[in-house]
Amino acid sequence: MLDLPGQVALVTGGSQGIGRATALLLAQLGADVAIAARTAEKCQAVAGELQALGRRALPVQDDLAAADQIRATVEQGTAELGTSSILGNNAAVTRDGLLLRMKQEEWETVLQTNLTSVFLMTQQVLPGMMKARRGRIINLPSDVAQSGNIGQANYIAAKAGLIGLHKAVSREYASRQIP
């Protein structure tokens, strides 16, 4: 079984669903975990669960809407827990609707949260991972990125873009021999 003592993880969207399950699993494996999510109360609740497992936990309210918020989240996590060796990009939103009726704001909100924030978060943690010569980035796409779904053009575009981003980043940095 994987053993992660002494490692620090940052999980976006870590206050519920798959993000919460990811944070709990990483803590059970021995990692300390920073949880970034929009709702402070939910972040606090999950942090309490992680602390009950004997791990350090940092709840950070962050809606991933801007580069400065993402930078502040990574800086706070590094200051309080240490450099992240694991990044779980899980945060996602939906604004479903048929393309003909979709507002540009709905398109942009979904792409910002589900794709652009992954780019920005990855960009923020990579320098620390490269310096440590160790790191894992876990991106969570969706099956619909391959199959499509009515009323989710924005969501599917973001999740398909996430797959492409992950492949590109993997090639760029695996070649630098970061395990």
Side-chain angles (χ1 to χ4, degrees):
M1 183 87 181
L2 189 60
D3 200 17
L4 303 174
Q7 294 196 43
V8 174
L10 170 57
V11 179
T12 68
S15 66
Q16 61 187 12
I18 294 170
R20 177 182 166 271
T22 300
L24 286 167
L25 177 61
L26 291 168
Q28 289 166 354
L29 295 172
D32 295 325
V33 184
I35 307 143
R38 290 179 301 214
T39 308
E41 296 79 22
K42 288 182 181 181
C43 278
Q44 289 284 358
V46 175
E49 292 180 79
L50 302 178
Q51 290 164 346
L53 295 170
R55 305 309 320 152
R56 293 184 305 151
L58 174 67
V60 182
Q61 184 176 5
D62 183 350
D63 69 4
L64 304 173
D68 60 336
Q69 291 179 345
I70 290 169
R71 188 171 26 263
T73 293
V74 172
E75 288 172 359
Q76 183 179 357
T78 301
E80 295 193 32
L81 298 178
T83 301
S84 295
S85 56
I86 302 165
L87 171 62
N89 285 310
N90 177 69
V93 297
T94 58
R95 299 291 185 270
D96 295 349
L98 296 175
L99 184 70
L100 284 173
R101 296 185 185 134
M102 188 176 290
K103 295 177 176 73
Q104 184 175 349
E105 176 186 322
E106 294 167 330
W107 174 269
E108 290 173 356
T109 296
V110 171
L111 265 74
Q112 173 63 37
T113 301
N114 300 7
L115 182 59
T116 303
S117 72
V118 173
F119 158 72
L120 293 169
M121 191 64 77
T122 301
Q123 199 173 50
Q124 287 296 309
V125 301
L126 266 175
M129 289 179 176
M130 290 178 66
K131 184 176 180 182
R133 300 195 53 73
R134 152 175 141 175
R136 295 281 188 265
I137 299 173
I138 304 160
N139 295 317
L140 295 163
S142 172
D143 290 346
V144 297
Q146 301 289 333
S147 62
N149 205 17
I150 295 170
Q152 290 192 313
N154 50 5
Y155 182 79
I156 292 165
K159 292 300 186 172
L162 179 57
I163 292 169
L165 175 65
H166 184 83
K167 289 179 180 182
V169 171
S170 295
R171 286 190 176 241
E172 282 182 30
Y173 295 95
S175 66
R176 298 183 193 282
Q177 299 187 1
I178 298 175

